[in-house]
Every structure is written in C-alpha cells, then in structure tokens.
Amino acid sequence: MAAKKSVWASVVAAALLGLMWVVFESGFFDPQGGAAGSATGPAAEQLAELRVAQSVSMDGYSRERFKHWITKPEAGKNCNTREAVLARDGQNVRSNNACEPTSGTWTSVYSGQQLTDPSAIDIDHMVPLANAWRSGANKWDDQRREQFANDMELPQLVAVDASSNRSKGDQDPSQWKPERANWCSYATSWITVKRSYDLTVTEPEKKALQEMLATCG
C-alpha cells in the first residue's frame, strides 16, 4: 500500500511540474512580479494599431534636425520649451525674469527621485529623437521634427533625473525600462506618442511594451 502511495505521489508531482513549465513557457507567469496576465485596454489597442517594421538607417540624422528648445511665449515672457516643462512638472516653482527656474521640487518620472536643483534635471524626449528618426521621422520635414521635439500636448517631454536620462539614451523599451512601478505609465506614454506621430515599432519593442502594459490595472 505504501509503495502504491509513493508511486501515486510521484505521478502527481510530475504532473504539477509539467503544468508549471507550460504556464512559465506560455508567459502567464512573470518570475519578477508573479502573474503577468495579458495587456488589455486602450493603450493595448493602440499598440496593436502601430505598424511593425525594422529600424531604418541613421544616415542623415542629427539632433540639429530636431530644433529645440524653441520659444514658448504662452508659458511666459522669455520662456523656452525646457523652462516651460520645468514649470509644468514641478511643485512650488519659482523663476527669475529670464524664466529660468531658481527653486522648486521635481519628481523624476523614471526613478521616483525627488530633485530640488533645476540644473540637475533633464527634459527627456519620451520617444528619443534618434529613435523617432529610425521609425519614420527621417521622412519628415524640419518643421514636423521641430514640432515633435517641443511637443507639450502629448506626454513626449518629461522632467527626469539626469542619471536616468543618460542611462536611457536613445534606447527603446526592449533595451531600457524605468523602475517597474512606472512601467504602465511609461509604456502608455510611449505608445501615445508613437501613434500620434505615426511612427513604427520593432518586434522586440512591441513585445516589451506588451509586457509593460500587463502591469497596468
């Protein structure tokens, strides 16, 4: 009887191990954060609409082709895009007559780090200029590129700590991600910008965005 119980226990254990392997391989289990599920909602629907294509050549690319930071008179006298974003994204921001922020508090949307020194803050392009070039902006005229580089209507410009910005560089979400707690908002913003400007995504980029959107909710 004991032998039969031992054999039965082995069979059950083997079956459970097999089931766990199937679940792991199917992607429904995330070893870093538990059950991952699948991405749903408006952002996932917008991602499905993006055209998948390989990155194009960087031939002809230059940051100067994306003029920034331009004057933003609607933000105040003497203000440019960088200063306007700092005023928008900070708390208790004080600026001088040249519209340069002199004090305030900012929270980096990539790391969660709190910053009080305006000179230590970078204004990052959510979709980097070089990435945009590789995914369709190479065909734009310079006016369209200037609009993209200074767009404050979309979540394209964000105040972040310099370290995160340097780490990100021009990489897409398959190559760089912010802290996991910010995956949902980051992926949603990335997709919003790419869809609004009709930019393409690569296969690895799309897969990474789906993984990040699965943390929403």
Side-chain angles (χ1 to χ4, degrees):
M1 186 65 176
K4 289 183 178 179
K5 286 184 177 180
S6 178
V7 171
W8 177 247
S10 297
V11 171
V12 171
L16 287 173
L17 285 172
L19 178 61
M20 289 174 64
W21 177 254
V22 170
V23 171
F24 182 85
E25 285 294 291
S26 67
F28 287 103
F29 181 80
D30 179 356
Q32 295 184 12
S38 58
T40 59
E45 293 172 3
Q46 291 178 4
L47 175 58
E49 296 172 358
L50 294 181
R51 186 166 62 88
V52 176
Q54 292 184 344
S55 296
V56 303
S57 169
M58 289 291 287
D59 288 350
Y61 170 77
S62 169
R63 286 182 64 85
E64 283 65 41
R65 300 292 299 274
F66 296 80
K67 184 181 178 182
H68 64 289
W69 306 113
I70 62 173
T71 301
K72 288 281 187 178
E74 66 273 22
K77 185 179 179 180
N78 302 319
C79 295
N80 63 25
T81 310
R82 171 184 164 80
E83 293 156 350
V85 175
L86 286 172
R88 181 197 67 186
D89 291 358
Q91 298 292 324
N92 303 315
V93 178
R94 291 181 178 274
S95 303
N96 59 25
N97 291 334
C99 199
E100 299 166 341
T102 56
S103 64
T105 303
W106 293 264
T107 301
S108 172
V109 299
Y110 292 167
S111 66
Q113 180 182 353
Q114 282 210 332
L115 306 162
T116 56
D117 180 3
S119 65
I121 301 168
D122 282 357
I123 304 304
D124 183 48
H125 292 97
M126 172 63 62
V127 175
L129 305 182
N131 181 279
W133 181 274
R134 293 191 296 267
S135 54
N138 62 316
K139 298 179 181 178
W140 297 346
D141 59 26
D142 287 343
Q143 183 178 2
R144 180 69 164 167
R145 295 188 190 105
E146 179 180 310
Q147 177 188 358
F148 179 81
N150 297 276
D151 195 330
M152 292 182 63
E153 299 299 320
L154 298 174
Q156 165 65 347
L157 298 175
V158 288
V160 300
D161 61 291
S163 178
S164 292
N165 191 32
R166 303 296 190 276
S167 174
K168 174 186 173 184
D170 66 351
Q171 300 177 94
D172 69 44
S174 70
Q175 303 159 321
W176 185 90
K177 298 178 180 67
E179 287 193 339
R180 188 181 180 85
N182 298 323
W183 279 15
C184 177
S185 60
Y186 185 85
T188 300
S189 295
W190 183 282
I191 293 165
T192 297
V193 173
K194 284 226 159 176
R195 181 172 181 270
S196 297
Y197 280 89
D198 195 26
L199 295 171
T200 61
V201 291
T202 64
E203 282 287 2
E205 179 184 351
K206 182 175 182 178
K207 184 177 180 180
L209 287 166
Q210 290 170 330
E211 177 188 5
M212 296 168 77
L213 288 180
T215 66
C216 297

